[in-house]
Amino acid sequence: MSATTPEKKAPLSLAYYVHSLVCLCIMFGFGLLDPVEPLTPLGMRLVGVFLGVLYGWVFIEIVWPSLAGLLAMMLVGGMKPVTLLNNSFGHPIVQMMFFIFVFCATINHYGLSRFISLWFITRKFVAGRPWLFSFTFLASIFILGALTSASPAALIGWSILYGVCEVCGYKKGDSYPTMMVFGIVFAAQIGQSMIPFKQVALTVFSAYETMSGMGIDYAKYMLIACLICLLCALFFIVLGKYIFRPDMSKLLNLEADKLDTDGSLNLTGVQKTVLLFLFLLVLLLLAPNFLPADFFLTRFLKAIGNTGIVILLVTVMAAIKVEGKPLLNFKVMVDSGVTWGIVLLLAFVQPLTIAMAAPGVASRTFSCSC
């Protein structure tokens, strides 16, 4: 086949069109049913939009069902178009998600994800201690999942695991690498919720804060989330030690330094600079919870908000020149790092939660005393 011949794309299956039709029917048809107490007709229409979009997310994809959901909210009367768009793409949480993706793409671009994971498992205290090594390995994947996202964390974890298997002599199908392949995915998925300004946590937080009117202390959340992640890693190790019981003997003499085949542990000046910005991001987002309320830095950080903090760091990194090029190439990082499906998901969820919490959605409200 010549290079000029266009590739043939597989035709979409009938199931795709059936799911799409069901998605739209739920989105626009559910609200025609008689309202279920305490929902009003408006509440039924909004629930229908949510259920239709949710069906689309599960069976189709994220992008077009989210956009269709925004259009549906305009049509069912949940929110005027200008207000809806201001509360979706114009909402600070959605914008923060966008810039967080750009920031995390920069971390991956400079190879810091692999450095973080290798740094943990090459500590001397894990040498000759297979289970402690495995626990530390999973803990590093938790951190990678928190700083980037589940997919790159799992891929990096797998690449390092394959290096461990090669050095130790494990073969495909052996019990230990099989266990750790699943453990890495487990750690990556849970880890992405450890930091409160990432995809999963930020989506849930924005919905909760909008509907309840209560804010969430990021510092307390991170403390509890870190403890939960450590307990999850410990639970997995206990399962491995007493139930799965893989062969750990080959790890006893593991020389972890041999895993650094590409010199990832030797940071360049540029990598150290990006790592400094990573520490700054976490510190500045948490600082208002610790610093005195009347301190000038506290007032400044609260004035620009969490979204402003991320934009500030991205701006400074884009302004810094390294060999005539920006430390953060904004276009490249957007193209490679922004997961638009997640951005659109949050852009739909944010105005929906506001609309669902508005008067007129339910015929009566319930209150509870705790």
Side-chain angles (χ1 to χ4, degrees):
M1 182 179 292
S2 65
T4 58
T5 303
E7 295 183 0
K8 293 183 179 181
K9 297 183 179 179
L12 294 175
S13 64
L14 178 62
Y16 173 84
Y17 295 104
V18 171
H19 286 310
S20 298
L21 180 61
V22 173
C23 170
L24 294 174
C25 287
I26 296 174
M27 198 179 299
F28 293 100
F30 187 87
L32 301 177
L33 301 175
D34 293 333
V36 179
E37 289 290 339
L39 293 177
T40 63
L42 173 60
M44 284 290 289
R45 293 196 295 271
L46 290 175
V47 170
V49 172
F50 170 70
L51 292 178
V53 173
L54 182 62
Y55 183 93
W57 289 343
V58 173
F59 295 102
I60 309 171
E61 60 174 55
I62 292 179
V63 174
W64 80 254
S66 299
L67 293 173
L70 289 172
L71 292 172
M73 287 184 62
M74 299 177 190
L75 295 173
V76 303
M79 195 176 291
K80 293 183 178 179
V82 174
T83 304
L84 184 141
L85 293 175
N86 285 338
N87 285 304
S88 57
F89 297 104
H91 196 279
I93 295 293
V94 179
Q95 295 170 5
M96 180 180 179
M97 178 75 78
F98 171 82
F99 283 100
I100 283 290
F101 275 128
V102 173
F103 189 93
C104 292
T106 308
I107 296 174
N108 284 329
H109 177 75
Y110 286 101
L112 289 175
S113 298
R114 184 173 175 82
F115 161 78
I116 292 170
S117 184
L118 282 174
W119 186 89
F120 275 92
I121 63 176
T122 53
R123 298 305 91 194
K124 291 183 178 179
F125 69 88
V126 304
R129 299 172 178 174
W131 287 113
L132 182 59
F133 169 84
S134 302
F135 177 82
T136 306
F137 192 179
L138 292 180
S140 72
I141 302 302
F142 279 128
I143 294 174
L144 281 187
L147 297 177
T148 57
S149 62
S151 296
L155 291 174
I156 292 170
W158 285 341
S159 68
I160 295 175
L161 175 65
Y162 299 152
V164 172
C165 294
E166 184 177 352
V167 171
C168 295
Y170 282 113
K171 298 179 180 179
K172 183 179 180 180
D174 286 349
S175 54
Y176 179 75
T178 301
M179 180 189 78
M180 289 302 291
V181 163
F182 289 99
I184 288 169
V185 176
F186 170 70
Q189 290 290 343
I190 296 179
Q192 67 177 342
S193 298
M194 188 164 65
I195 292 183
F197 46 83
K198 291 304 298 302
Q199 303 98 288
V200 177
L202 201 58
T203 302
V204 176
F205 281 8
S206 63
Y208 173 80
E209 291 177 352
T210 300
M211 299 188 74
S212 68
M214 298 174 59
I216 296 176
D217 189 318
Y218 278 12
K220 292 179 180 178
Y221 172 86
M222 283 190 65
L223 177 61
I224 295 173
C226 287
L227 291 175
I228 291 175
C229 284
L230 290 176
L231 289 175
C232 287
L234 181 61
F235 174 71
F236 187 86
I237 294 301
V238 170
L239 284 178
K241 187 173 184 178
Y242 296 104
I243 297 179
F244 302 142
R245 297 182 180 181
D247 177 17
M248 307 292 284
S249 60
K250 296 179 180 180
L251 289 170
L252 291 174
N253 298 318
L254 171 65
E255 297 180 24
D257 292 339
K258 292 183 178 180
L259 300 176
D260 185 20
T261 57
D262 54 0
S264 297
L265 289 174
N266 299 318
L267 294 180
T268 64
V270 176
Q271 288 176 315
K272 291 177 181 178
T273 302
V274 176
L275 191 62
L276 175 62
F277 275 100
L278 173 60
F279 288 133
L280 275 175
L281 175 65
V282 177
L283 288 175
L284 293 178
L285 287 170
L286 297 180
N289 297 304
F290 299 102
L291 297 176
D294 57 348
F295 189 48
F296 79 95
L297 181 59
T298 308
R299 295 199 303 269
F300 171 74
L301 295 177
K302 288 185 176 180
I304 63 175
N306 293 330
T307 304
I309 291 172
V310 183
I311 294 176
L312 171 65
L313 294 180
V314 169
T315 302
V316 174
M317 293 173 73
I320 294 176
K321 299 293 183 179
V322 178
E323 298 179 353
K325 298 180 180 180
L327 179 65
L328 187 156
N329 188 317
F330 192 79
K331 183 181 184 304
V332 173
M333 296 305 108
V334 169
D335 291 343
S336 64
V338 177
T339 305
W340 289 107
I342 302 298
V343 174
L344 291 172
L345 184 151
L346 186 57
F348 167 75
V349 169
Q350 189 60 36
L352 178 68
T353 54
I354 296 174
M356 291 294 291
V361 172
S363 57
R364 62 181 186 273
T365 58
F366 297 92
S367 63
C368 64
S369 58
C370 301

